[in-house]
Coordinates of all heavy atoms in Angstrom, one line a residue:
M1 N -1.8 6.1 12.8 CA -1.5 5.3 11.6 C -1.0 6.2 10.5 O -1.4 7.4 10.4 CB -2.9 4.7 11.0 CG -2.7 3.8 9.8 SD -4.3 2.9 9.6 CE -4.3 2.9 8.0
A2 N 0.0 5.8 9.8 CA 0.6 6.6 8.8 C -0.3 6.8 7.5 O -1.1 6.0 7.3 CB 1.9 6.0 8.4
S3 N -0.1 7.9 6.8 CA -0.8 8.2 5.6 C -0.2 7.6 4.5 O 1.1 7.6 4.3 CB -0.9 9.8 5.5 OG -1.6 10.0 4.3
Y4 N -1.0 7.0 3.6 CA -0.5 6.3 2.3 C -0.4 7.5 1.2 O -1.3 8.4 1.2 CB -1.4 5.3 1.9 CG -1.3 4.0 2.8 CD1 -1.7 4.0 4.1 CD2 -0.7 2.9 2.2 CE1 -1.6 2.7 4.8 CE2 -0.6 1.7 3.0 CZ -1.1 1.7 4.3 OH -1.0 0.5 5.0
D5 N 0.5 7.2 0.3 CA 0.4 8.1 -0.9 C -0.6 7.3 -1.9 O -0.5 6.2 -2.1 CB 1.8 8.1 -1.5 CG 2.8 9.0 -0.8 OD1 2.2 10.1 -0.2 OD2 3.9 8.7 -0.7
V6 N -1.4 8.1 -2.6 CA -2.4 7.5 -3.5 C -1.9 8.0 -5.0 O -1.8 9.2 -5.1 CB -3.8 7.9 -3.3 CG1 -4.8 7.5 -4.4 CG2 -4.2 7.5 -1.9
V7 N -1.6 7.0 -5.7 CA -1.2 7.3 -7.1 C -2.1 6.6 -8.1 O -2.5 5.4 -8.0 CB 0.3 6.8 -7.4 CG1 0.8 7.0 -8.8 CG2 1.1 7.3 -6.3
L8 N -2.5 7.4 -9.1 CA -3.3 6.8 -10.3 C -2.3 6.4 -11.5 O -1.4 7.3 -11.8 CB -4.3 7.8 -10.7 CG -5.6 7.8 -10.1 CD1 -5.5 8.6 -8.7 CD2 -6.6 8.5 -10.9
T9 N -2.5 5.2 -12.0 CA -1.7 5.0 -13.2 C -2.3 5.9 -14.3 O -3.3 6.4 -14.3 CB -1.8 3.4 -13.6 OG1 -3.3 3.2 -14.0 CG2 -1.4 2.5 -12.5
S10 N -1.5 5.9 -15.5 CA -1.9 6.9 -16.5 C -3.2 6.3 -17.2 O -4.0 7.1 -17.5 CB -0.7 6.9 -17.6 OG -0.5 5.7 -18.1
S11 N -3.4 5.0 -17.3 CA -4.7 4.5 -17.8 C -5.8 4.8 -16.9 O -6.9 5.1 -17.3 CB -4.5 3.0 -18.1 OG -4.2 2.3 -16.8
A12 N -5.6 4.7 -15.6 CA -6.7 5.1 -14.6 C -7.1 6.6 -14.7 O -8.2 6.9 -14.6 CB -6.3 4.8 -13.2
E13 N -6.0 7.5 -15.0 CA -6.3 8.9 -15.1 C -7.1 9.1 -16.3 O -8.1 9.9 -16.3 CB -5.0 9.7 -15.2 CG -4.3 10.0 -13.8 CD -3.3 10.9 -14.0 OE1 -3.4 12.0 -14.6 OE2 -2.2 10.6 -13.4
K14 N -6.8 8.4 -17.4 CA -7.6 8.5 -18.7 C -9.0 8.1 -18.5 O -9.9 8.7 -19.0 CB -6.9 7.7 -19.8 CG -5.6 8.3 -20.3 CD -5.1 7.4 -21.3 CE -3.7 7.9 -21.8 NZ -3.1 6.9 -22.8
E15 N -9.2 7.0 -17.8 CA -10.5 6.5 -17.5 C -11.3 7.5 -16.7 O -12.5 7.7 -16.9 CB -10.4 5.1 -16.9 CG -9.9 4.0 -17.7 CD -9.5 2.7 -17.0 OE1 -9.6 2.7 -15.7 OE2 -9.1 1.8 -17.6
L16 N -10.7 8.1 -15.7 CA -11.5 9.0 -14.9 C -11.8 10.3 -15.7 O -12.9 10.7 -15.5 CB -10.5 9.4 -13.7 CG -11.1 10.3 -12.7 CD1 -12.3 9.7 -11.9 CD2 -10.1 10.7 -11.6
K17 N -10.9 10.7 -16.5 CA -11.2 11.9 -17.3 C -12.3 11.7 -18.3 O -12.9 12.7 -18.7 CB -10.0 12.4 -18.0 CG -9.0 13.0 -17.0 CD -7.7 13.5 -17.8 CE -6.7 14.0 -16.8 NZ -5.4 14.3 -17.4
K18 N -12.5 10.5 -18.7 CA -13.6 10.3 -19.7 C -15.0 10.3 -19.1 O -16.0 10.4 -19.8 CB -13.4 8.8 -20.4 CG -12.3 8.7 -21.3 CD -12.3 7.3 -21.8 CE -11.0 7.2 -22.7 NZ -10.9 5.7 -23.2
L19 N -15.1 10.2 -17.7 CA -16.4 10.1 -17.1 C -17.0 11.5 -17.0 O -16.3 12.6 -17.2 CB -16.3 9.6 -15.7 CG -15.6 8.2 -15.6 CD1 -15.5 7.9 -14.1 CD2 -16.6 7.2 -16.4
S20 N -18.3 11.6 -16.7 CA -19.0 12.9 -16.6 C -18.5 13.5 -15.4 O -18.1 12.9 -14.4 CB -20.5 12.6 -16.6 OG -20.9 12.0 -15.4
G21 N -18.7 14.9 -15.2 CA -18.3 15.6 -14.1 C -18.9 15.1 -12.7 O -18.4 15.2 -11.7
Q22 N -20.2 14.7 -12.9 CA -20.9 14.1 -11.7 C -20.3 12.9 -11.2 O -20.1 12.8 -9.9 CB -22.4 14.0 -12.2 CG -23.0 12.8 -11.4 CD -24.4 12.5 -12.0 OE1 -24.8 13.1 -13.0 NE2 -25.2 11.5 -11.5
W23 N -19.8 12.0 -12.0 CA -19.1 10.9 -11.6 C -17.7 11.2 -11.0 O -17.3 10.6 -10.0 CB -19.0 9.8 -12.7 CG -20.2 9.0 -12.9 CD1 -21.1 9.1 -13.9 CD2 -20.8 8.1 -11.9 NE1 -22.1 8.3 -13.6 CE2 -22.1 7.7 -12.4 CE3 -20.4 7.6 -10.7 CZ2 -22.9 6.8 -11.8 CZ3 -21.2 6.8 -10.0 CH2 -22.4 6.4 -10.6
I24 N -17.0 12.1 -11.7 CA -15.6 12.5 -11.2 C -15.8 13.1 -9.8 O -15.0 12.8 -8.9 CB -15.0 13.5 -12.1 CG1 -14.7 12.9 -13.4 CG2 -13.8 14.1 -11.5 CD1 -14.2 13.8 -14.6
A25 N -16.8 13.8 -9.5 CA -17.1 14.5 -8.2 C -17.4 13.3 -7.2 O -17.1 13.7 -6.1 CB -18.3 15.5 -8.4
R26 N -18.0 12.3 -7.5 CA -18.3 11.2 -6.6 C -17.1 10.5 -6.4 O -17.0 9.9 -5.2 CB -19.4 10.3 -7.1 CG -20.8 11.0 -7.0 CD -22.0 10.1 -7.4 NE -22.1 9.0 -6.5 CZ -22.9 8.0 -6.8 NH1 -23.7 8.0 -7.8 NH2 -23.0 7.0 -5.8
I27 N -16.4 10.0 -7.4 CA -15.3 9.1 -7.3 C -14.0 9.6 -6.6 O -13.4 9.1 -5.8 CB -14.8 8.6 -8.7 CG1 -16.0 7.7 -9.2 CG2 -13.6 7.8 -8.6 CD1 -15.9 7.2 -10.6
T28 N -13.7 10.9 -7.0 CA -12.4 11.5 -6.5 C -12.3 11.6 -5.0 O -11.2 11.2 -4.4 CB -12.3 13.0 -7.1 OG1 -12.3 13.0 -8.5 CG2 -11.0 13.8 -6.7
P29 N -13.4 12.0 -4.1 CA -13.2 12.0 -2.8 C -12.9 10.5 -2.2 O -12.2 10.3 -1.3 CB -14.5 12.6 -2.2 CG -15.2 13.1 -3.4 CD -14.6 12.6 -4.6
R30 N -13.6 9.6 -2.8 CA -13.4 8.2 -2.3 C -11.9 7.7 -2.6 O -11.4 7.0 -1.8 CB -14.3 7.2 -3.1 CG -15.8 7.5 -2.7 CD -16.3 7.1 -1.3 NE -16.1 5.8 -1.1 CZ -16.9 4.8 -1.4 NH1 -18.0 5.0 -1.9 NH2 -16.6 3.5 -1.1
V31 N -11.4 8.2 -3.6 CA -10.0 7.8 -4.1 C -9.0 8.5 -3.0 O -8.1 7.8 -2.5 CB -9.7 8.1 -5.5 CG1 -8.1 8.0 -5.7 CG2 -10.4 7.2 -6.4
E32 N -9.2 9.8 -2.8 CA -8.4 10.5 -1.8 C -8.6 10.0 -0.4 O -7.6 10.0 0.4 CB -8.9 11.9 -1.8 CG -8.5 12.7 -3.1 CD -9.1 14.1 -3.3 OE1 -10.0 14.5 -2.4 OE2 -8.8 14.8 -4.2
N33 N -9.7 9.4 0.0 CA -9.9 8.8 1.3 C -9.0 7.6 1.5 O -8.8 7.2 2.6 CB -11.3 8.5 1.6 CG -12.2 9.8 1.8 OD1 -11.7 10.8 2.3 ND2 -13.4 9.7 1.7
L34 N -8.7 7.0 0.4 CA -7.7 5.7 0.5 C -6.4 5.9 1.1 O -5.8 5.1 1.7 CB -7.5 5.1 -0.9 CG -8.8 4.5 -1.5 CD1 -8.3 4.1 -3.0 CD2 -9.3 3.4 -0.8
A35 N -6.0 7.4 1.2 CA -4.7 7.7 1.8 C -4.7 7.5 3.3 O -3.8 7.1 3.9 CB -4.5 9.2 1.5
S36 N -6.0 7.8 3.9 CA -6.0 7.6 5.3 C -6.4 6.2 5.7 O -6.1 5.8 6.8 CB -6.9 8.6 5.9 OG -8.3 8.5 5.4
N37 N -7.2 5.5 4.8 CA -7.7 4.2 5.1 C -7.7 3.3 3.8 O -8.8 3.4 3.1 CB -9.1 4.3 5.7 CG -9.5 2.9 6.2 OD1 -8.9 1.9 6.1 ND2 -10.8 2.7 6.6
P38 N -6.7 2.6 3.5 CA -6.7 1.9 2.2 C -7.6 0.7 2.1 O -7.8 0.1 1.1 CB -5.2 1.5 2.0 CG -4.7 1.5 3.3 CD -5.4 2.5 4.2
R39 N -8.1 0.4 3.3 CA -9.1 -0.8 3.4 C -10.4 -0.3 4.0 O -10.6 -0.8 5.2 CB -8.4 -2.0 4.1 CG -7.3 -2.5 3.3 CD -6.5 -3.6 4.2 NE -5.3 -4.1 3.5 CZ -4.1 -3.7 3.7 NH1 -4.0 -2.6 4.5 NH2 -3.1 -4.2 3.1
P40 N -11.1 0.5 3.3 CA -12.3 1.2 4.1 C -13.4 0.1 4.1 O -13.4 -1.0 3.5 CB -12.7 2.2 3.0 CG -12.3 1.8 1.7 CD -10.9 1.0 2.0
P41 N -14.4 0.4 4.9 CA -15.6 -0.6 5.1 C -16.2 -0.8 3.6 O -16.3 0.2 2.9 CB -16.5 0.1 6.0 CG -15.8 1.1 6.7 CD -14.6 1.5 5.8
G42 N -16.5 -2.0 3.3 CA -17.1 -2.3 2.0 C -16.1 -2.6 0.9 O -16.5 -3.0 -0.2
C43 N -14.8 -2.5 1.1 CA -13.8 -2.8 0.1 C -13.7 -4.4 0.1 O -14.0 -5.0 1.1 CB -12.5 -2.2 0.4 SG -11.6 -3.0 1.7
K44 N -13.3 -4.8 -1.1 CA -13.1 -6.3 -1.2 C -11.8 -6.7 -1.9 O -11.3 -5.9 -2.7 CB -14.2 -7.0 -2.1 CG -15.6 -7.0 -1.4 CD -16.4 -8.0 -2.0 CE -17.7 -8.1 -1.2 NZ -18.6 -9.0 -1.9
K45 N -11.2 -7.7 -1.5 CA -9.9 -8.2 -2.1 C -10.4 -9.0 -3.2 O -11.2 -9.9 -3.2 CB -9.1 -9.0 -1.1 CG -7.8 -9.4 -1.6 CD -6.9 -10.0 -0.5 CE -5.5 -10.3 -0.8 NZ -5.1 -10.4 -2.2
L46 N -9.8 -8.8 -4.4 CA -10.2 -9.6 -5.6 C -9.5 -10.9 -5.7 O -8.3 -10.9 -5.4 CB -9.9 -8.6 -6.9 CG -10.6 -7.3 -7.0 CD1 -10.3 -6.6 -8.3 CD2 -12.1 -7.5 -6.9
K47 N -10.1 -11.9 -6.2 CA -9.6 -13.2 -6.2 C -8.8 -13.2 -7.6 O -9.2 -12.8 -8.6 CB -10.7 -14.3 -6.2 CG -11.3 -14.3 -4.9 CD -12.4 -15.4 -4.9 CE -13.1 -15.4 -3.7 NZ -14.2 -16.5 -3.6
G48 N -7.7 -14.0 -7.6 CA -6.9 -14.2 -8.7 C -6.1 -13.0 -9.3 O -5.5 -13.1 -10.3
G49 N -6.2 -11.9 -8.6 CA -5.5 -10.7 -9.1 C -4.0 -10.6 -8.4 O -3.7 -11.5 -7.7
D50 N -3.5 -9.5 -8.8 CA -2.2 -9.3 -8.1 C -2.3 -8.5 -6.8 O -2.0 -7.4 -6.6 CB -1.3 -8.4 -9.1 CG -1.1 -9.0 -10.4 OD1 -1.1 -10.3 -10.4 OD2 -1.2 -8.4 -11.4
H51 N -3.0 -9.1 -5.9 CA -3.3 -8.5 -4.6 C -4.1 -7.3 -4.8 O -3.8 -6.2 -4.2 CB -2.0 -8.3 -3.8 CG -1.1 -9.4 -3.7 ND1 -1.4 -10.4 -2.9 CD2 0.1 -9.7 -4.3 CE1 -0.5 -11.5 -3.0 NE2 0.5 -10.9 -3.8
E52 N -5.1 -7.3 -5.6 CA -5.9 -6.2 -5.9 C -7.1 -6.1 -4.9 O -7.6 -7.1 -4.6 CB -6.4 -6.2 -7.3 CG -5.4 -6.0 -8.4 CD -5.9 -6.1 -9.8 OE1 -6.7 -6.9 -10.1 OE2 -5.4 -5.5 -10.7
W53 N -7.5 -4.8 -4.7 CA -8.7 -4.5 -3.9 C -9.6 -3.6 -4.8 O -9.2 -3.1 -5.7 CB -8.3 -3.7 -2.6 CG -7.4 -4.5 -1.8 CD1 -6.0 -4.8 -2.0 CD2 -7.8 -5.1 -0.5 NE1 -5.6 -5.5 -0.9 CE2 -6.7 -5.8 0.0 CE3 -9.0 -5.1 0.2 CZ2 -6.7 -6.3 1.3 CZ3 -9.0 -5.8 1.4 CH2 -7.9 -6.4 1.8
R54 N -10.8 -3.6 -4.3 CA -11.8 -2.7 -5.0 C -12.7 -2.0 -4.2 O -13.1 -2.5 -3.1 CB -12.5 -3.5 -6.2 CG -13.6 -4.4 -5.7 CD -15.0 -3.8 -5.9 NE -16.0 -4.8 -5.6 CZ -16.8 -4.8 -4.6 NH1 -16.8 -3.9 -3.8 NH2 -17.8 -5.8 -4.5
I55 N -13.2 -0.8 -4.4 CA -14.2 -0.1 -3.8 C -15.3 0.2 -4.8 O -15.0 0.3 -6.0 CB -13.8 1.2 -3.1 CG1 -13.1 2.1 -4.1 CG2 -12.9 0.8 -1.8 CD1 -12.8 3.5 -3.4
R56 N -16.6 0.3 -4.3 CA -17.7 0.5 -5.2 C -18.0 2.0 -5.0 O -18.1 2.5 -4.0 CB -19.0 -0.3 -4.8 CG -18.8 -1.8 -5.0 CD -20.0 -2.5 -4.5 NE -21.3 -1.8 -5.0 CZ -22.5 -2.1 -4.6 NH1 -22.6 -2.9 -3.6 NH2 -23.5 -1.5 -5.0
V57 N -18.4 2.7 -6.2 CA -18.8 4.0 -6.1 C -20.0 4.0 -7.2 O -19.8 4.1 -8.4 CB -17.8 5.0 -6.6 CG1 -18.4 6.5 -6.5 CG2 -16.6 5.0 -5.7
G58 N -21.2 3.8 -6.7 CA -22.3 3.7 -7.5 C -22.2 2.4 -8.5 O -21.9 1.3 -8.0
D59 N -22.3 2.6 -9.7 CA -22.2 1.6 -10.7 C -20.6 1.5 -11.2 O -20.4 0.6 -12.1 CB -23.0 1.7 -12.0 CG -24.5 1.4 -11.7 OD1 -24.7 0.8 -10.8 OD2 -25.3 1.9 -12.5
Y60 N -19.8 2.2 -10.6 CA -18.4 2.2 -10.9 C -17.6 1.5 -9.9 O -18.0 1.4 -8.7 CB -17.8 3.6 -11.3 CG -18.3 4.1 -12.6 CD1 -19.5 4.6 -12.7 CD2 -17.5 4.1 -13.7 CE1 -20.1 5.1 -13.9 CE2 -17.9 4.4 -15.0 CZ -19.2 5.0 -15.1 OH -19.6 5.3 -16.3
R61 N -16.3 1.0 -10.3 CA -15.5 0.2 -9.4 C -14.2 0.9 -9.6 O -13.7 1.2 -10.6 CB -15.3 -1.2 -9.9 CG -16.7 -1.9 -9.8 CD -17.4 -2.0 -8.3 NE -18.5 -2.7 -8.3 CZ -19.8 -2.2 -8.4 NH1 -19.9 -0.9 -8.6 NH2 -20.8 -2.9 -8.4
V62 N -13.5 1.0 -8.4 CA -12.1 1.6 -8.3 C -11.2 0.4 -7.9 O -11.4 -0.1 -6.9 CB -12.0 2.8 -7.4 CG1 -10.5 3.3 -7.3 CG2 -12.9 3.9 -7.7
V63 N -10.3 -0.1 -8.7 CA -9.5 -1.2 -8.5 C -8.1 -0.7 -8.2 O -7.5 0.2 -8.9 CB -9.5 -2.2 -9.6 CG1 -8.5 -3.4 -9.3 CG2 -10.8 -2.7 -9.9
Y64 N -7.5 -1.1 -7.1 CA -6.2 -0.6 -6.7 C -5.4 -1.7 -6.0 O -6.0 -2.8 -5.5 CB -6.4 0.6 -5.8 CG -7.2 0.4 -4.5 CD1 -6.6 0.1 -3.3 CD2 -8.5 0.3 -4.5 CE1 -7.3 -0.2 -2.2 CE2 -9.3 0.0 -3.4 CZ -8.8 -0.2 -2.2 OH -9.5 -0.4 -1.0
T65 N -4.1 -1.5 -5.8 CA -3.2 -2.3 -5.0 C -2.6 -1.5 -3.9 O -2.6 -0.2 -3.9 CB -2.0 -2.8 -5.9 OG1 -1.3 -1.7 -6.4 CG2 -2.5 -3.6 -7.1
I66 N -2.3 -2.3 -2.8 CA -1.8 -1.6 -1.6 C -0.4 -2.2 -1.4 O -0.2 -3.4 -1.4 CB -2.7 -2.0 -0.4 CG1 -4.1 -1.5 -0.7 CG2 -2.1 -1.3 0.9 CD1 -5.1 -2.0 0.4
D67 N 0.6 -1.3 -1.1 CA 2.0 -1.7 -0.8 C 2.1 -1.2 0.6 O 2.5 0.1 0.8 CB 2.9 -1.2 -1.7 CG 4.3 -1.7 -1.5 OD1 4.6 -2.1 -0.4 OD2 5.2 -1.6 -2.4
D68 N 1.9 -2.0 1.7 CA 2.1 -1.5 3.1 C 3.5 -1.1 3.4 O 3.8 -0.3 4.3 CB 1.6 -2.6 4.0 CG 0.1 -2.7 3.9 OD1 -0.6 -1.7 3.9 OD2 -0.4 -3.8 3.8
A69 N 4.5 -1.8 2.8 CA 6.0 -1.4 3.0 C 6.3 0.0 2.6 O 7.1 0.7 3.2 CB 6.8 -2.5 2.4
K70 N 5.8 0.4 1.5 CA 6.1 1.7 0.9 C 5.0 2.7 1.2 O 5.0 3.9 0.8 CB 6.3 1.6 -0.6 CG 7.4 0.8 -1.1 CD 7.4 0.7 -2.6 CE 8.6 -0.1 -3.1 NZ 8.5 -0.3 -4.6
L71 N 3.9 2.3 1.9 CA 2.8 3.1 2.2 C 2.2 3.8 0.9 O 2.1 5.0 0.7 CB 3.1 4.3 3.2 CG 3.6 3.8 4.6 CD1 3.9 4.9 5.5 CD2 2.4 3.0 5.3
L72 N 2.0 2.9 0.0 CA 1.5 3.3 -1.4 C 0.2 2.6 -1.8 O 0.1 1.4 -1.7 CB 2.6 3.0 -2.4 CG 2.3 3.4 -3.9 CD1 2.4 4.9 -4.0 CD2 3.4 2.8 -4.8
V73 N -0.6 3.4 -2.3 CA -1.9 2.9 -2.9 C -1.9 3.3 -4.4 O -1.8 4.4 -4.6 CB -3.3 3.4 -2.2 CG1 -4.5 3.0 -3.0 CG2 -3.3 3.0 -0.8
E74 N -1.9 2.3 -5.3 CA -1.9 2.5 -6.7 C -3.2 2.2 -7.3 O -3.5 1.0 -7.4 CB -0.7 1.8 -7.3 CG -0.5 2.0 -8.9 CD 0.7 1.3 -9.5 OE1 0.8 0.2 -9.1 OE2 1.3 2.0 -10.4
V75 N -3.9 3.2 -7.9 CA -5.2 2.9 -8.5 C -4.9 2.5 -9.9 O -4.2 3.2 -10.7 CB -6.1 4.1 -8.4 CG1 -7.3 4.0 -9.2 CG2 -6.4 4.5 -7.0
T76 N -5.4 1.3 -10.4 CA -5.1 0.7 -11.7 C -6.2 0.9 -12.6 O -6.0 1.0 -13.9 CB -4.6 -0.8 -11.5 OG1 -5.6 -1.4 -10.9 CG2 -3.3 -0.9 -10.7
R77 N -7.5 0.8 -12.2 CA -8.6 0.8 -13.0 C -9.7 1.5 -12.4 O -10.0 1.3 -11.1 CB -9.0 -0.6 -13.5 CG -8.0 -1.3 -14.3 CD -8.6 -2.6 -14.8 NE -9.2 -3.5 -13.9 CZ -8.6 -4.5 -13.1 NH1 -7.2 -4.5 -13.2 NH2 -9.1 -5.3 -12.4
I78 N -10.5 2.4 -13.1 CA -11.7 3.0 -12.7 C -12.7 2.9 -13.9 O -12.5 3.5 -14.9 CB -11.5 4.5 -12.5 CG1 -10.5 4.7 -11.4 CG2 -12.9 5.1 -12.1 CD1 -10.1 6.1 -11.1
R79 N -13.6 1.9 -13.8 CA -14.4 1.6 -14.9 C -15.8 1.2 -14.4 O -16.1 0.9 -13.2 CB -13.9 0.3 -15.7 CG -12.6 0.6 -16.4 CD -12.2 -0.6 -17.3 NE -10.8 -0.4 -17.8 CZ -10.0 -1.5 -17.8 NH1 -10.5 -2.5 -17.8 NH2 -8.8 -1.2 -18.2
H80 N -16.8 1.1 -15.3 CA -18.1 0.7 -15.1 C -18.1 -0.8 -14.6 O -17.2 -1.6 -15.1 CB -19.0 0.8 -16.3 CG -20.4 0.6 -15.9 ND1 -21.1 -0.7 -16.0 CD2 -21.5 1.5 -15.5 CE1 -22.3 -0.5 -15.7 NE2 -22.6 0.8 -15.4
R81 N -19.0 -1.2 -13.8 CA -19.0 -2.5 -13.2 C -19.1 -3.7 -14.3 O -18.5 -4.8 -14.0 CB -20.0 -2.8 -12.2 CG -21.4 -2.7 -12.7 CD -22.5 -2.6 -11.6 NE -23.8 -2.6 -12.0 CZ -24.6 -3.6 -12.2 NH1 -24.2 -4.8 -12.1 NH2 -25.8 -3.4 -12.7
S82 N -19.7 -3.3 -15.4 CA -19.7 -4.4 -16.5 C -18.5 -4.6 -17.2 O -18.3 -5.6 -17.9 CB -20.9 -4.0 -17.5 OG -20.5 -2.8 -18.1
E83 N -17.5 -3.6 -17.0 CA -16.3 -3.8 -17.7 C -15.0 -4.0 -16.9 O -14.0 -4.4 -17.5 CB -16.0 -2.5 -18.6 CG -17.1 -2.1 -19.6 CD -17.1 -0.6 -20.0 OE1 -16.1 0.1 -19.5 OE2 -17.8 -0.3 -20.9
V84 N -15.1 -3.7 -15.7 CA -13.9 -3.6 -14.9 C -13.2 -4.9 -14.7 O -12.0 -5.0 -14.6 CB -14.2 -2.9 -13.5 CG1 -15.0 -3.9 -12.6 CG2 -12.9 -2.5 -12.9
Y85 N -13.9 -6.0 -14.6 CA -13.3 -7.3 -14.2 C -12.7 -8.1 -15.5 O -12.1 -9.0 -15.4 CB -14.3 -8.2 -13.5 CG -14.7 -7.5 -12.2 CD1 -16.0 -7.1 -12.1 CD2 -13.8 -7.2 -11.2 CE1 -16.4 -6.5 -10.9 CE2 -14.2 -6.6 -10.0 CZ -15.5 -6.1 -9.9 OH -15.8 -5.5 -8.7
A86 N -13.3 -7.7 -16.7 CA -12.8 -8.4 -17.9 C -11.4 -8.0 -18.2 O -10.9 -6.9 -18.1 CB -13.7 -8.0 -19.0
R87 N -10.6 -9.1 -18.4 CA -9.1 -8.8 -18.7 C -8.7 -9.5 -20.0 O -9.2 -10.5 -20.3 CB -8.3 -9.4 -17.6 CG -8.3 -8.4 -16.5 CD -7.1 -8.7 -15.6 NE -6.6 -7.6 -15.0 CZ -5.7 -7.6 -14.0 NH1 -5.1 -8.6 -13.7 NH2 -5.3 -6.4 -13.5

């Protein structure tokens, strides 16, 4: 299976940098693992979104889109579960 490129949007990078070091250490490896498996066990496709998926990391959610044609995973949001779904 081909490896995907994982890209964070500028807003997702800002959200990640605002978190404590402990959360960054937990979330970063999970995001990097999306390169080898963009649909890991436990991921869910979000309803009503732009083909968005999410993974859970403790109380935080990583929301991303997958482009299989370009082998690209774009992380759009990294937020606490109480804030991530409000638009």
Side-chain angles (χ1 to χ4, degrees):
M1 186 167 144
S3 179
Y4 285 69
D5 289 324
V6 179
V7 179
L8 274 73
T9 61
S10 59
S11 60
E13 277 188 52
K14 286 179 191 174
E15 291 167 356
L16 184 61
K17 288 178 183 176
K18 287 181 185 177
L19 301 178
S20 69
Q22 149 188 0
W23 280 111
I24 293 172
R26 284 184 67 184
I27 292 171
T28 303
R30 296 287 302 273
V31 170
E32 291 170 353
N33 287 340
L34 294 175
S36 58
N37 184 6
R39 296 173 182 91
C43 75
K44 285 198 176 178
K45 188 166 185 343
L46 299 182
K47 295 179 181 177
D50 304 323
H51 309 290
E52 291 179 323
W53 295 75
R54 72 108 170 107
I55 55 173
R56 293 176 52 194
V57 183
D59 285 341
Y60 284 84
R61 303 295 181 263
V62 177
V63 179
Y64 58 97
T65 59
I66 303 170
D67 187 341
D68 290 313
K70 295 180 183 176
L71 295 178
L72 179 70
V73 173
E74 184 178 41
V75 177
T76 56
R77 296 191 303 278
I78 301 172
R79 295 188 195 147
H80 190 269
R81 64 187 181 94
S82 65
E83 303 167 352
V84 72
Y85 303 114
R87 279 198 149 175

